[in-house]
Amino acid sequence: MAYISIQPKDNFNVITYTGTGAAQSITGVGFRPDLIWIKRYDGTAEHKLFDTNRNDYFSKKALELTTDALIPDTTLMQSLDADGFSLAGTVNGNTNTEKYVAFCWKGGGSVSEDNYDGSGNPDGNAEDSTVSVNTAAGISVIQYRGTGGGGANVWRTHALGAVPTWQVFKCIQGRTLNWFSWHTKIASSKYASQLNTTAVATAFATAWHSTDPLANLFITGSANEVNEASNEYVNYCFTDIKGFSKMGSYEGTGNADGTFVYTGFRPAWVVVKNTENATTNHYMWDKKRLGYNVDNNALYPNTTAAHQTNDEVDFLSNGFKIRNSDGGVNGSGEEIIYSAFAEFPLVSSNKIPGLAR
């Protein structure tokens, strides 16, 4: 059974709010978030991501799910607070009457230097990474400077204490490049997906040099998307925590009565991508918008579109069930990868069983 020592709501939460066009504080997160993903869901707008693990130059700038580096918007995100975050009165993120959803992860709350080489020994490198890690919840936010790789493996610390199951990389300064993801169900000779496009899992050996990450170290190759010399990067890095997070894959059936995926918890958030069909979007569902089965509206990370209204998934006490023959979530015989975080474990540490929605 999925007994865990942490409460999911203390480490990941989904908040909805309405823009005011004036400064406002968003509360109810339950913790000080270290990674925030904001999207307007009732209309067209870019996805915006903020994290704590940046030096002063980058601290309040937004990342968007485009090829762009950091957006020079220093006005929207004013502060990360004990129970949420504070916004300025500005467009795209706090426009009057518009509806937004924010996905919030708790990192380490503080930043430590990565002072380790590929053998785990201190290296004194002046270009070390900075790492904010929550080992109990399997969440690490890393900023690092690219070295170019030179065709050799370049190891850096993620400090999770367990092998990652999902990593998302983005160049934040220096180049306009795609978001590359590494996923435990896709061979390390490929990138699993590009979060900002519909691309399928594709051979790209120079990203990770066909080498899996280790319990405290992740690898970057010579690919510009993850390690071009002198550019700045972020890596949002996660590992499975029983009853809280799960990264895996399932095979589509092409049938509206689709696959059931066991996670060991009632999901709060799920993102999926068909790794074999290059015409399909990423699909992202959460516990908050509408908030009942089967009407869980999807957002598409690779587009600016409002949430769609197709009925595609149920959130259950122990996983999720596909309810649509759509090729993006249920292509017949095709592999679909997923990443999921919990609202409530199947069985909590207090032995209270979780329920379906």
Side-chain angles (χ1 to χ4, degrees):
M1 303 293 275
Y3 289 92
I4 59 174
S5 59
I6 63 171
Q7 292 300 319
K9 65 182 177 60
D10 295 334
N11 296 276
F12 176 78
N13 208 349
V14 182
I15 296 294
T16 55
Y17 66 93
T18 301
T20 62
Q24 67 165 323
S25 293
I26 309 303
T27 60
V29 172
F31 53 86
R32 180 182 182 272
D34 294 275
L35 171 59
I36 303 171
W37 178 340
I38 294 173
K39 176 67 176 79
R40 180 187 176 192
Y41 63 87
D42 66 341
T44 300
E46 295 287 356
H47 300 252
K48 286 183 176 287
L49 287 85
F50 302 86
D51 64 79
T52 59
N53 198 4
R54 303 187 197 156
N55 61 35
D56 291 341
Y57 177 76
F58 298 111
S59 61
K60 290 185 178 179
K61 296 184 179 181
L63 275 171
E64 295 183 347
L65 289 180
T66 67
T67 58
D68 292 336
L70 283 165
I71 305 302
D73 176 2
T74 59
T75 58
L76 176 61
M77 186 63 65
Q78 292 298 291
S79 64
L80 302 176
D81 309 325
D83 189 33
F85 51 94
S86 294
L87 303 174
T90 187
V91 298
N92 195 1
N94 192 21
T95 302
N96 191 34
T97 73
E98 292 180 354
K99 304 293 186 181
Y100 298 91
V101 60
F103 312 116
C104 303
W105 287 263
K106 182 181 180 180
S110 62
V111 172
S112 61
E113 292 292 331
D114 166 11
N115 294 313
Y116 302 96
D117 63 15
S119 300
N121 299 312
D123 62 8
N125 190 333
E127 295 184 346
D128 283 332
S129 307
T130 54
V131 184
S132 176
V133 61
N134 177 352
T135 55
I139 300 164
S140 184
V141 179
I142 305 114
Q143 181 181 331
Y144 65 93
R145 179 169 295 174
T147 62
N153 297 344
V154 180
W155 292 94
R156 295 180 174 88
T157 294
H158 56 72
L160 286 171
V163 176
T165 49
W166 189 35
Q167 300 178 87
V168 178
F169 292 81
K170 181 66 178 79
C171 180
I172 65 174
Q173 186 262 337
R175 287 284 294 275
T176 54
L177 297 165
N178 289 314
W179 292 68
F180 268 29
S181 74
W182 178 97
H183 194 281
T184 185
K185 291 298 184 179
I186 302 298
S188 292
S189 58
K190 303 177 178 181
Y191 59 75
S193 71
Q194 296 176 4
L195 197 59
N196 60 304
T197 79
T198 62
V200 296
T202 302
F204 211 91
T206 56
W208 345 112
H209 272 295
S210 302
T211 304
D212 290 341
L214 305 176
N216 277 307
L217 302 170
F218 69 95
I219 192 168
T220 57
S222 57
N224 292 340
E225 287 79 2
V226 298
N227 194 30
E228 187 173 20
S230 300
N231 289 347
E232 295 287 335
Y233 295 84
V234 291
N235 174 10
Y236 302 134
C237 189
F238 307 93
T239 191
D240 288 9
I241 299 295
K242 186 177 182 181
F244 173 69
S245 59
K246 179 69 175 174
M247 323 303 168
S249 66
Y250 61 92
E251 183 177 312
T253 65
N255 189 304
D257 185 16
T259 304
F260 164 72
V261 180
Y262 176 83
T263 60
F265 52 78
R266 182 173 71 212
W269 184 89
V270 177
V271 61
V272 306
K273 177 66 177 81
N274 186 320
T275 66
E276 301 180 60
N277 188 330
T279 67
T280 62
N281 295 307
H282 289 76
Y283 290 71
M284 182 167 65
W285 305 286
D286 64 75
K287 69 172 185 177
K288 197 75 173 182
R289 291 172 295 123
L290 297 184
Y292 51 87
N293 293 331
V294 59
D295 210 351
N296 296 297
N297 293 349
L299 285 165
Y300 302 139
N302 52 283
T303 81
T304 61
H307 65 185
Q308 55 83 37
T309 57
N310 293 338
D311 296 336
E312 291 168 328
V313 66
D314 282 346
F315 283 3
L316 307 177
S317 64
N318 57 352
F320 60 96
K321 166 80 171 174
I322 301 301
R323 295 290 191 186
N324 196 296
S325 59
D326 183 343
V329 300
N330 198 16
S332 180
E334 295 174 338
E335 183 178 27
I336 293 99
I337 56 173
Y338 69 87
S339 299
F341 290 86
E343 178 181 11
F344 199 86
L346 178 57
V347 178
S348 182
S349 55
N350 58 13
K351 300 183 181 181
I352 297 175
L355 302 174
R357 299 173 68 177

